Amino acid sequence: MFSKTCEYGLRAVMYIAQNSLTNTKVSLVAIAEEIDSPAAFTAKILQQLSKAAIIDSTKGPYGGFLIEKAALKEITLANIVAVLDGDKVYNGCGLGLKQCDDEFPCPVHNQFLKVRTELKNMLENTNLHELAIGIDSGLTWLKRN
C-alpha cells in the first residue's frame, strides 16, 4: 500500500521519535541499521523529511536527527505519508487499474473504499508521541534482535 520509501520513512521517524523522548539525537548510521535500510537511501528519505520540517537535522560531530518533544504530539502518520507518498494511498484503484471510479468500479472498488477510509482515519489520528511511547515501553517494536 505504501511505497518502499514511505515504509522506510515511517520506520525512521518512529525510531527518531522514540529517541526524541529523551532528547537523544540519532545518527544516519544508527537509523539505517535500526530500520534495515541502506544508508544512502535512508539519507535521501531523511533529507525529504527534514525539508518538510518533520524532523530536525544537525550536522557535525554532535549532530544527528531529532524531533522536538512538543512536535511529537502534533505530527501524525498522515503528515509523513503526505511528504513521501503524496495522496496516492487515498486515491487510485485497489487493483491498479487506470480506469476505476464510482461510475465504472473495479471488482474491489467498494470494499477498497472502506479500507482506504479506515486507513486515512488511522493515519490522521495517530501521532508520533503515542507510537514512540509504545516502542520505548516495549509494547511495540521496530526490529527484533
Side-chain angles (χ1 to χ4, degrees):
M1 186 159 277
F2 299 116
S3 69
K4 194 54 98 174
T5 298
C6 192
E7 289 176 3
Y8 284 142
L10 287 166
R11 286 189 233 163
V13 171
M14 288 179 208
Y15 180 67
I16 295 166
Q18 176 197 8
N19 284 279
S20 295
L21 291 173
T22 57
N23 289 316
T24 304
K25 292 179 185 174
V26 288
S27 70
L28 168 63
V29 172
I31 295 166
E33 183 178 308
E34 183 66 24
I35 67 169
D36 291 324
S37 172
F41 189 43
T42 304
K44 289 179 182 181
I45 296 167
L46 295 176
Q47 185 178 31
Q48 285 180 268
L49 293 167
S50 182
K51 270 187 186 174
I54 300 288
I55 60 175
D56 295 324
S57 173
T58 307
K59 295 180 181 179
Y62 300 104
F65 296 92
L66 184 76
I67 302 169
E68 293 297 323
K69 275 188 171 182
L72 292 174
K73 291 184 179 179
E74 302 300 320
I75 300 169
T76 65
L77 294 181
N79 300 130
I80 300 158
V81 171
V83 170
L84 299 174
D85 271 359
D87 66 352
K88 73 177 185 179
V89 72
Y90 307 122
N91 301 311
C93 175
L95 295 177
L97 301 176
K98 291 180 183 180
Q99 300 285 325
C100 174
D101 56 32
D102 289 336
E103 191 175 345
F104 296 102
C106 77
V108 298
H109 181 78
N110 293 324
Q111 294 88 335
F112 198 69
L113 281 175
K114 293 174 194 172
V115 171
R116 194 171 18 222
T117 300
E118 288 181 31
L119 177 64
K120 185 175 184 182
N121 185 48
M122 183 275 294
L123 294 173
E124 290 176 346
N125 292 294
T126 303
N127 68 50
L128 292 180
H129 184 262
E130 62 190 275
L131 297 172
I133 294 292
I135 296 165
D136 200 53
S137 68
L139 293 175
T140 60
W141 50 272
L142 288 171
K143 181 178 177 182
R144 290 179 68 169
N145 295 332

